[in-house]
């Protein structure tokens, strides 16, 4: 029993949440189907009981019509005790002459009442065959009582109410969970930025000291690269500080930023990886937050390097799609992926690396879509050939502001 409980608690429900959702839906449908089946069984039993009651009533009426004895008991205990089942008795000419449990409009005229009886009689004829009182040549028509009708449709109404309530509860719970995750995410990143501030300031001071020391001339190249890394650390700190806060979005030269990012990456990745930039124009502008956008490009390129195992080609193609959008296609010659993985690669915790946290592409999606009002997705991929990620950004401030107010990328 203990081992079974451990197996259950060890299941990664987040990674398998799609399967869990479908399982819950299946269980809900089974419960709903069971409820409907059981209720229908009760309806059938009650319908048969009502039919027997009408047959008994008809027999009592027929007996009363054929005898001159005192029939007070039959009249009071059988005929008059029908308070629920609507019935209409019709003479040999097809005219209603007696009825019970028929609801008429308030202050109805004789003509209105006759019309109501006519409509009710048509419905009764469609629902059940009449019971014939042979002695008097009278037909007794009836239909299901209101109780039976309510019981028949109750499980469907109940199921609909449960589904609506469940959907609302799920939506509220999901929003609450997302809001909580966002607060934790923002708090963690800001605290990380705060903790990085002190050692970065210290490293900057040491680099200044080395520049003014006798070792500068002999180690100029090394100290310069160290300075670049410290500047990069400062940029990373700025990126972490920006998470959870509204970043400053402004027009930037897209080609220049991509070139700066690639220039920084080249000496820090495998020399067997070729980085290529293609552009319609070097004057493409895009609305962005520079530190955060560079972070996205770095994450995708580093993932591409891992996918190629340190050997291959990464092509960054910059396109002017229209006067509203610019496109960045990042293509690698790595191992590629199946189509069913296109969406999963952006899920938190998804990683094909043994030591990966699976947050790089999640961060990229959050930065592009939540902060820039853009779009990022897997454009295409083929196993053994490579993958292309597409990023779409607004090229005008109006487009970016429209997303912030409406939450929609019209593309």
């Amino acid at each position: 029993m203990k081992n079974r409980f451990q197996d259950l608690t060890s299941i990664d429900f987040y990674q398998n949440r799609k399967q869990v959702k479908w399982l819950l839906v299946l269980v809900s449908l089974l419960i709903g189907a069971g409820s409907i089946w059981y209720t229908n069984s009760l309806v059938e039993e009650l319908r048969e009981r009502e039919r027997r009651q009408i047959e008994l009533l008809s027999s009592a009426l027929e007996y009363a019509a054929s005898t001159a004895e005192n029939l007070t008991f039959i009249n009071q205990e059988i005929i008059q005790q029908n308070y629920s089942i609507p019935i209409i008795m019709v003479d040999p000419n097809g005219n209603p002459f007696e009825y019970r449990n028929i609801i008429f409009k308030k202050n109805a005229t004789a003509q209105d009442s006759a019309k109501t009886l006519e409509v009710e009689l048509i419905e009764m004829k469609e629902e059940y065959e009449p019971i014939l009182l042979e002695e008097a040549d009278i037909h007794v028509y009836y239909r299901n009582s209101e109780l039976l009708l309510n019981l028949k449709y109750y499980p469907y109404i109940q199921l609909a109410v449960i589904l609506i309530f469940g959907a609302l509860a799920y939506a509220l719970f999901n929003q609450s969970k997302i809001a909580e995750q966002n607060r934790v995410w923002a708090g963690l990143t800001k605290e990380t930025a705060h903790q990085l501030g002190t050692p970065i300031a210290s490293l900057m001071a040491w680099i200044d000291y080395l520049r003014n020391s006798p070792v500068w001339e002999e180690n100029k190249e090394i100290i310069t690269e160290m300075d670049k890394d410290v500047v990069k650390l400062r940029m990373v700190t700025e990126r972490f500080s920006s998470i959870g806060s509204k970043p400053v979005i402004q027009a930037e030269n897209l080609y220049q930023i991509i070139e700066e990012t690639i220039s920084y990456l080249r000496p820090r990745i495998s020399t067997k990886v070729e980085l290529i930039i293609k552009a319609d124009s070097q004057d493409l502008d895009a609305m962005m937050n520079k530190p955060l956008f560079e972070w996205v490009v770095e994450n995708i390129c580093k993932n591409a390097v891992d996918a190629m195992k340190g050997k291959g080609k990464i092509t960054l193609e910059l396109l002017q799609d229209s006067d509203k959008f610019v496109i960045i296609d990042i293509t690698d010659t790595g191992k590629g992926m199946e189509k069913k993985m296109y969406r999963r690669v952006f899920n938190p915790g998804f990683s094909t690396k043994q030591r990966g946290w699976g947050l790089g592409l999640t961060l990229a999606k959050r930065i592009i879509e939540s902060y820039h009002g853009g779009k990022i997705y897997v454009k295409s991929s083929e196993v053994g050939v490579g993958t292309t990620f597409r990023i779409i950004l607004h090229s005008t401030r109006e487009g970016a502001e429209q997303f912030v107010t409406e939450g929609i990328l019209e593309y």
Side-chain angles (χ1 to χ4, degrees):
M1 183 69 181
K2 185 177 179 181
N3 291 334
R4 289 181 180 178
F5 178 76
Q6 289 175 344
D7 291 341
L8 181 62
T9 55
S10 65
I11 297 174
D12 190 343
F13 286 103
Y14 184 83
Q15 290 290 345
N16 299 285
R17 63 189 183 281
K18 188 174 181 180
Q19 290 86 343
V20 172
K21 286 179 182 178
W22 280 112
L23 178 62
L24 291 175
V25 169
L26 179 61
V27 172
S28 301
L29 290 176
L30 288 174
I31 293 173
S35 175
I36 292 172
W37 174 82
Y38 181 70
T39 307
N40 284 338
S41 299
L42 294 178
V43 168
E44 287 299 322
E45 184 178 345
L46 185 56
R47 181 185 287 118
E48 183 60 28
R49 186 177 299 179
E50 287 190 353
R51 178 166 182 83
R52 288 198 299 269
Q53 185 177 350
I54 291 296
E55 289 176 348
L56 176 61
L57 176 63
S58 301
S59 299
L61 288 171
E62 189 170 23
Y63 180 76
S66 61
T67 183
E69 297 179 10
N70 186 354
L71 302 175
T72 303
F73 175 80
I74 294 178
N75 182 60
Q76 291 180 350
E77 300 300 326
I78 298 179
I79 299 176
Q80 298 300 325
Q81 289 302 314
N82 173 28
Y83 295 109
S84 60
I85 306 173
I87 64 171
I88 297 177
M89 300 176 67
V90 177
D91 62 22
N93 296 322
N95 300 316
F97 70 91
E98 187 66 48
Y99 54 84
R100 191 162 180 80
N101 302 317
I102 303 298
I103 300 174
F104 296 98
K105 295 179 181 178
K106 189 176 182 181
N107 301 323
T109 63
Q111 186 177 1
D112 292 335
S113 298
K115 183 67 175 176
T116 301
L117 280 176
E118 183 181 348
V119 172
E120 285 282 350
L121 187 58
I122 292 173
E123 291 181 359
M124 290 178 180
K125 288 179 177 179
E126 292 177 351
E127 193 163 347
Y128 291 112
E129 289 291 326
I131 297 174
L132 177 62
L133 306 182
E134 295 181 357
E135 293 290 337
D137 194 19
I138 293 173
H139 289 77
V140 179
Y141 291 92
Y142 71 100
R143 63 173 174 82
N144 294 331
S145 64
E146 292 297 323
L147 174 62
L148 188 60
L149 290 174
N150 291 338
L151 185 60
K152 180 179 180 180
Y153 294 111
Y154 171 74
Y156 300 98
I157 297 173
Q158 180 189 41
L159 187 60
V161 171
I162 291 173
L163 289 175
I164 293 171
F165 177 78
L168 290 174
Y170 175 79
L172 291 174
F173 175 77
N174 199 40
Q175 286 297 113
S176 175
K177 185 177 180 181
I178 291 173
E180 182 180 359
Q181 289 175 342
N182 288 340
R183 287 194 295 270
V184 172
W185 184 273
L188 178 62
T189 54
K190 288 183 179 296
E191 179 62 22
T192 302
H194 176 72
Q195 294 294 335
L196 286 173
T198 301
I200 289 173
S202 177
L203 287 171
M204 291 174 64
W206 280 111
I207 289 175
D208 285 339
Y209 172 78
L210 291 173
R211 279 177 175 160
N212 297 312
S213 69
V215 300
W216 166 250
E217 292 298 332
E218 296 180 5
N219 302 281
K220 184 176 180 179
E221 185 176 346
I222 295 174
I223 296 172
T224 300
E225 289 301 318
M226 288 174 60
D227 184 52
K228 289 181 181 178
D229 285 332
V230 171
V231 170
K232 192 64 177 180
L233 280 173
R234 288 181 62 190
M235 186 176 294
V236 170
T237 305
E238 290 179 17
R239 293 169 179 172
F240 275 108
S241 297
S242 299
I243 299 295
S245 303
K246 186 177 179 180
V248 177
I249 305 295
Q250 59 187 17
E252 300 280 1
N253 184 291
L254 182 61
Y255 183 88
Q256 182 179 343
I257 289 177
I258 293 291
E259 192 171 42
E260 289 176 5
T261 305
I262 296 306
S263 297
Y264 175 80
L265 283 174
R266 275 196 179 102
R268 288 165 177 78
I269 61 175
S270 172
T271 56
K272 296 181 181 180
V273 173
E274 184 181 4
L275 293 167
I276 301 172
I277 303 176
K278 296 181 179 180
D280 288 347
S281 170
Q282 295 187 9
D283 295 326
L284 294 176
D285 286 338
M287 299 300 300
M288 68 174 72
N289 177 277
K290 180 180 176 182
L292 291 179
F293 178 72
E294 289 178 338
W295 196 358
V296 171
V297 176
E298 286 179 21
N299 274 328
I300 295 177
C301 289
K302 287 177 180 177
N303 281 348
V305 172
D306 292 335
M308 298 185 298
K309 297 183 178 180
K311 184 179 181 181
K313 182 170 67 174
I314 301 175
T315 303
L316 296 94
E317 189 172 3
L318 317 182
L319 308 169
Q320 180 75 57
D321 180 64
S322 65
D323 58 349
K324 292 184 178 181
F325 305 107
V326 291
I327 293 175
I328 306 97
D329 283 344
I330 303 177
T331 304
D332 64 60
T333 56
K335 57 186 178 182
M337 69 183 82
E338 296 178 357
K339 195 166 186 176
K340 64 181 181 180
M341 307 291 288
Y342 284 13
R343 290 182 179 273
R344 290 186 61 194
V345 295
F346 295 102
N347 292 343
F350 180 85
S351 177
T352 57
K353 297 178 288 186
Q354 292 183 349
R355 297 184 180 181
W357 288 93
L359 293 177
L361 290 177
T362 304
L363 273 170
K365 188 176 183 66
R366 183 185 181 90
I367 289 169
I368 294 298
E369 298 188 358
S370 297
Y371 295 148
H372 289 77
K375 190 77 175 175
I376 180 171
Y377 58 94
V378 179
K379 179 190 175 186
S380 62
S381 186
E382 186 176 348
V383 176
V385 177
T387 301
T388 298
F389 283 88
R390 169 161 286 189
I391 301 172
I392 305 172
L393 293 178
H394 294 278
S395 57
T396 63
R397 179 174 297 277
E398 290 76 14
E401 289 176 348
Q402 182 182 3
F403 172 83
V404 172
T405 56
E406 300 181 6
I408 300 173
L409 173 60
E410 297 179 352
Y411 180 77

